[in-house]
Amino acid sequence: MPPPTDPQAIPAQEAELSVVGKRQPRLDGPQKVTGRSVFTDDVVLPGMLAGKILRSQHAHARIVRLDTSRAEALPGVKAVITAAHAMGMAASSTESAGEASRRRTGRAIKLKTGESVFADQVVTYIGEEIAAVAALDEATAEKALELIEVEYEPLPATMDSRRAVKPGAPQVNPEFPGNVWSEDIDNYGKPDEAFESADFVVEGKFEAGVTHNLYAEFHVAVVDFSRPDKLKVWTPTQTSYLMQHSLAPAFGLSLNQVQIIHLNTGGAFSGRGAVRPHHYVAALLSRETRRPVKVFSAGDEEFLIGRALGKNRYKTRIAANKDGTLKAFDMSCEMDGGAVGNEVGYFGWMAGLCNAWVFDLEGNRFRRKVILTHQRPNFLGHGGMMVSSNCAVAQLVAKVAKSLDMDPMDLLLKNAVEPGHTGLSGEVFASCGLKECIETVRRESGWDDKYGKLPPFHGIGVAIGAMASGAKGAFKHDTSAAMVRVGEDGLVTVYTGIPDMGQGTHTTMAMIAAEVLGIDANDVQLIAGDTDLTPVDVGAFAQRGTITTGNATRNAAIDARNQLAKHAAEKLATEQHNLVFRNGRVIRADDPDQSLSFKEVAYATLHGMEGRCVMGRGFFNSPLPYGTMAWSFDAQVAEVKVDPETGQIQVLKVTVAHDLGRTINPLAVEGQIDGQVFSAMSQVIYEELVTDDGLFLNPSRLEYKMPRTYEMPEISHHMIETHDPYGPFGAKEVGEGPVVVTGAAIIAAVSDALGGTLIPEMPMTPIRVLKAIRGSELYENGGQKP
């Protein structure tokens, strides 16, 4: 299917770009650095109460007795709620709080993620919600929690996914016998035939540890449900749209009766794409008290609320020929879903599919099993499961190269996909700069002068990856809408529903609108983060922001521009298609001396005979049957040193080449790459939640390790422009593609530093590295590479 076209676009306008491609500082930068940006925790409403949640201290136990009477009697306490209050949550808009309380019957409401708002009779993990209070202040709320009496009957728990599936293991959920939440096999192409005809097969095992997303902003929700027909929620989120669809039916409201306000959001990394129990708890407390309520997570609690990766165990096979052709992948993964496995089970398929996007394979199989344990419910980390799955694949690809005595770079070039390639699940890569990415990092990293020539414990590694732009297929639609209003003073306002979690999406939207209208990006302001004011947008995930919301913004700006062009054409005595909007002016293309300022045109349009208020409207939804329109591609080379005495890894340099279609804002792209190199480096070397029978032993930002600023490596940025036909001005994603590759490049470099020894687990902590060193050929050879 050909790319979409815009019959109303002014042809001369696209001849030269004046905003796109320029280094534009973030429009919200001054607000952020001066501390004036408003986050959810800054919201203070009249009469607002402090909400606190009592959480289970047992991984598995029966609640024998729950007595809240002492907490209810404490002065300053306005409400105490338990599982009984979450029964039959939908209330009519006319009944009183007392009537609603008397009406509550039935089973506890289930979140769309599969969780319950409160534990009812049995707790299944440490941190599960048991009761909540609302009080005049936090101190009183904390005291009230201490007065709630809970008597438990401890029950046997299963804490490890391998033990959980053995006969006789304690059951997490009786609805899932054997503790298997789901078991799926994704087959693409003909993997069996490929393995049968292959010259040889390499295989290996890999594990990824338990993580936390480590947001800059803690979990928090401010809810005002004082009116029975209006639920207002302030919270950091990736998607106000999906939150509306979860909260509205739970409380018997229509979508427009639920208002989501997300303000600034301090990071998400795949972890803020759904409503969590604390959102429902805050809403219940507010409905009970008829006053606004804030629920804010304390330090340790933040790690219990978070939904990040659980333990993932991979077994991977690669079929190859002696000439270096990679024929097929066969990967299986056992995923610890924790007490609820719905989310990780649903999105796990991406980890297997993305590995086939970069190689021209005959077949690809991904077997995924989600196992229940009495651990915190798990979901995804930054980069989803693709970071760990790509690490597993990259090590085996390096093993194939070593077995053939072939340069890994040559192996990747031989097997890399090209533009026009059709993937095993029907994807067509309209643009693809993967080979150019590989050649760029080879040249810029000095690969040919370093590979196989570095001293002991000094290594270099390469990895490649791809990332989809858009999420159609996961939802009924993947629509973004936008509005562009031109004021009579020439200043422009873009209305968008997409959140900005720190990645600079709002500045990107401003630049796209500014390019279309021919004005400076600093003359554009954003109205975002309020579902009562902004048009629908599915959200900021699956790397859909630039391509989907960007196209919607571009279409809205074109609509506004066409309205202005109608009036300007009359003033300049020409046709609309002969106009160019650039550098703050509207110019006759055939006579550049004839022009009007953008402000003149805006003012005259509003004050003309028609009195037109210029409001452009635009939306975008993928026109392709398989949804995703574009894929970014990435190649990276990492250089590391390993200390053989301590096992510590030092990442010296990472060379990144990313095919992003067209660069909207080079400054933002460099920042995105820097952040993702940091994140991936953190995941593969440092980040791990240590648990003991379900209890986190390091739930703080002092004990949960991550790199310090001075540990950041040198980063060499290279933007490969392939001008994708579906993206706005040819742009694709750069929001998550690099993080998937950095970890694999670093782990391949560490393997090279150890003479080819594979590291079977991430993070590569010093003790694990020392263990690998002791069992390596490098150690046996007295420090000399074999």
Side-chain angles (χ1 to χ4, degrees):
M1 180 178 293
T5 58
D6 179 14
Q8 298 186 15
I10 301 175
Q13 182 66 28
E14 308 297 339
E16 180 183 341
L17 300 179
S18 57
V19 177
V20 167
K22 304 300 188 294
R23 300 177 69 83
Q24 172 66 45
R26 290 183 52 146
L27 298 182
D28 61 350
Q31 296 290 321
K32 291 279 180 68
V33 299
T34 58
R36 288 179 288 177
S37 293
V38 178
F39 291 81
T40 300
D41 191 41
D42 298 319
V43 174
V44 178
L45 302 178
M48 188 169 70
L49 302 173
K52 290 292 180 182
I53 300 173
L54 180 68
R55 300 182 179 277
S56 168
Q57 298 179 354
H58 294 265
H60 193 203
R62 182 173 290 107
I63 300 174
V64 178
R65 186 176 66 90
L66 176 59
D67 186 352
T68 63
S69 59
R70 294 176 63 202
E72 292 169 355
L74 182 68
V77 171
K78 298 300 179 182
V80 181
I81 61 174
T82 64
H85 295 78
M87 303 291 187
M89 286 177 62
S92 73
S93 60
T94 57
E95 66 184 355
S96 66
E99 289 170 334
S101 180
R102 288 189 293 273
R103 183 190 51 77
R104 294 180 189 109
T105 58
R107 299 181 64 188
I109 185 72
K110 290 287 186 181
L111 284 65
K112 288 191 175 182
T113 58
E115 299 180 61
S116 297
V117 177
F118 288 109
D120 185 19
Q121 301 180 16
V122 175
V123 296
T124 54
Y125 64 95
I126 291 176
E128 187 170 8
E129 295 80 1
I130 297 174
V133 303
L136 293 176
D137 53 59
E138 285 195 43
T140 303
E142 292 280 7
K143 179 63 176 178
L145 290 187
E146 296 173 3
L147 296 177
I148 297 175
E149 299 176 14
V150 187
E151 182 180 342
Y152 297 97
E153 176 191 342
L155 299 172
T158 179
M159 310 309 299
D160 181 81
S161 58
R162 284 179 174 168
R163 296 192 181 98
V165 294
K166 292 184 177 180
Q171 295 297 289
V172 179
N173 186 330
E175 296 181 15
F176 297 91
N179 291 321
V180 176
W181 178 278
S182 62
E183 191 166 9
D184 301 279
I185 300 178
D186 304 319
N187 276 305
Y188 305 98
K190 299 178 179 180
D192 291 326
E193 291 89 333
F195 273 91
E196 289 174 4
S197 62
D199 292 337
F200 66 100
V201 174
V202 297
E203 54 187 55
K205 298 180 179 180
F206 191 76
E207 292 188 5
V210 185
T211 65
H212 178 57
N213 296 88
L214 214 64
Y215 317 103
E217 179 184 14
F218 283 9
H219 284 93
V220 57
V222 174
V223 176
D224 185 357
F225 205 174
S226 53
R227 281 174 44 191
D229 62 343
K230 188 69 171 181
L231 172 59
K232 300 178 68 173
V233 180
W234 289 259
T235 193
T237 182
Q238 292 175 250
T239 168
S240 56
Y241 176 77
L242 296 185
M243 291 193 76
Q244 284 180 303
H245 276 262
S246 294
L247 290 168
F251 289 99
L253 302 172
S254 69
L255 290 182
N256 283 331
Q257 288 178 308
V258 177
Q259 181 182 4
I260 307 296
I261 305 169
H262 52 70
L263 305 173
N264 293 286
T265 293
F269 313 119
S270 303
R272 282 180 161 148
V275 179
R276 302 298 179 196
H278 67 283
H279 294 110
Y280 288 94
V281 168
L284 286 167
L285 287 171
S286 182
R287 186 172 75 171
E288 193 76 11
T289 60
R290 296 294 172 90
R291 293 173 64 170
V293 173
K294 176 189 286 186
V295 173
F296 181 84
S297 64
D300 291 7
E301 190 179 19
E302 173 70 10
F303 285 75
L304 299 173
I305 293 177
R307 300 290 182 260
L309 279 178
K311 173 76 78 172
N312 284 350
R313 295 184 170 100
Y314 298 93
K315 292 182 180 178
T316 306
R317 298 191 305 148
I318 295 181
N321 283 342
K322 293 178 181 179
D323 65 353
T325 300
L326 302 179
K327 295 173 66 67
F329 291 167
D330 186 345
M331 176 181 285
S332 63
C333 181
E334 292 182 352
M335 298 171 273
D336 184 346
V340 182
N342 184 53
E343 289 185 296
V344 68
Y346 182 77
F347 287 99
W349 60 271
M350 293 185 292
L353 184 58
C354 75
N355 293 319
W357 287 337
V358 293
F359 297 111
D360 186 6
L361 301 175
E362 296 176 21
N364 183 46
R365 177 182 290 126
F366 187 46
R367 314 165 198 258
R368 46 194 170 96
K369 179 188 289 188
V370 180
I371 301 170
L372 298 180
T373 64
H374 289 106
Q375 302 275 11
R376 166 206 73 185
N378 294 315
F379 185 40
L380 301 175
H382 189 196
M385 289 171 54
M386 286 83 83
V387 172
S388 50
S389 67
N390 204 27
C391 285
V393 167
Q395 287 201 114
L396 286 191
V397 169
K399 187 175 181 179
V400 170
K402 186 175 182 180
S403 67
L404 296 173
D405 195 23
M406 187 176 185
D407 189 313
M409 200 73 75
D410 294 333
L411 182 71
L412 294 179
L413 279 169
K414 178 180 178 63
N415 291 278
V417 295
E418 297 180 324
H421 173 76
T422 299
L424 292 176
S425 60
E427 315 94 331
V428 177
F429 301 148
S431 67
C432 174
L434 180 56
K435 287 194 173 181
E436 186 178 350
C437 288
I438 297 171
E439 291 165 348
T440 298
V441 296
R442 180 176 206 157
R443 179 182 65 253
E444 298 298 329
S445 68
W447 175 273
D448 293 334
D449 295 328
K450 295 177 181 178
Y451 179 69
K453 304 171 186 177
L454 296 174
F457 303 109
H458 187 168
I460 192 168
V462 61
I464 60 176
M467 182 60 63
S469 296
K472 192 173 183 180
F475 315 105
K476 292 182 180 179
H477 66 79
D478 187 29
T479 299
S480 287
M483 297 185 296
V484 171
R485 180 174 63 85
V486 180
E488 61 181 295
D489 57 358
L491 298 181
V492 172
T493 304
V494 174
Y495 295 79
T496 176
I498 194 167
D500 190 324
M501 296 98 62
Q503 76 275 43
T505 295
H506 290 170
T507 300
T508 299
M509 298 307 119
M511 293 181 70
I512 290 172
E515 183 64 68
V516 171
L517 296 171
I519 60 176
D520 192 285
N522 293 295
D523 290 332
V524 181
Q525 65 173 343
L526 271 289
I527 300 294
D530 188 335
T531 56
D532 275 10
L533 299 176
T534 57
V536 66
D537 195 294
V538 171
F541 43 70
Q543 317 325 306
R544 60 183 303 283
T546 295
I547 195 163
T548 306
T549 305
N551 270 321
T553 301
R554 180 175 180 270
N555 290 340
I558 288 173
D559 187 13
R561 187 181 69 193
N562 289 336
Q563 295 174 43
L564 293 169
K566 179 182 178 182
H567 192 84
E570 295 175 358
K571 290 286 187 181
L572 293 172
T574 187
E575 299 296 326
Q576 293 184 43
H577 63 78
N578 189 43
L579 296 176
V580 174
F581 285 63
R582 183 168 295 119
N583 298 327
R585 301 196 68 81
V586 183
I587 309 165
R588 280 187 55 158
D590 62 347
D591 186 2
D593 291 334
Q594 298 294 314
S595 68
L596 296 168
S597 73
F598 183 83
K599 292 181 180 181
E600 287 179 281
V601 174
Y603 185 89
T605 302
L606 180 62
H607 290 273
M609 290 295 294
E610 189 180 17
R612 171 176 289 275
C613 177
V614 179
M615 174 67 82
R617 298 179 300 166
F619 76 95
F620 191 79
N621 185 34
S622 171
L624 302 184
Y626 48 81
T628 303
M629 300 178 298
W631 287 260
S632 69
F633 296 89
D634 192 280
Q636 296 184 35
V637 167
E639 191 173 345
V640 305
K641 281 186 177 180
V642 178
D643 188 328
E645 301 298 325
T646 65
Q648 291 184 317
I649 299 167
Q650 180 185 6
V651 183
L652 303 174
K653 182 179 180 180
V654 178
T655 304
V656 182
H658 189 76
D659 164 20
L660 72 177
R662 185 198 286 267
T663 308
I664 299 289
N665 184 359
L667 185 62
V669 170
E670 291 171 4
Q672 281 281 50
I673 291 173
D674 289 348
Q676 291 175 70
V677 168
F678 173 88
S679 177
M681 169 183 166
S682 186
Q683 291 182 64
V684 300
I685 299 179
Y686 297 89
E687 292 187 42
E688 184 176 31
L689 273 172
V690 182
T691 64
D692 181 14
D693 289 335
L695 178 67
F696 294 143
L697 302 182
N698 57 332
S700 80
R701 295 172 189 242
L702 291 176
E703 298 161 313
Y704 184 82
K705 299 301 182 184
M706 59 189 299
R708 278 71 56 93
T709 304
Y710 61 83
E711 293 173 280
M712 277 292 288
E714 176 189 350
I715 300 175
S716 178
H717 315 85
H718 303 278
M719 303 166 203
I720 307 303
E721 295 194 324
T722 55
H723 294 212
D724 191 88
Y726 293 104
F729 303 104
K732 300 187 288 191
E733 76 84 42
V734 69
E736 203 169 33
V739 73
V740 172
V741 182
T742 303
I746 291 174
I747 212 164
V750 172
S751 176
D752 179 60
L754 302 185
T757 299
L758 300 185
I759 306 294
E761 192 170 0
M762 62 178 276
M764 297 181 290
T765 57
I767 189 65
R768 290 169 182 152
V769 173
L770 286 175
K771 183 179 179 181
I773 291 174
R774 297 295 184 266
S776 69
E777 292 184 55
L778 193 64
Y779 185 75
E780 297 291 334
N781 294 337
Q784 298 300 313
K785 288 189 177 182

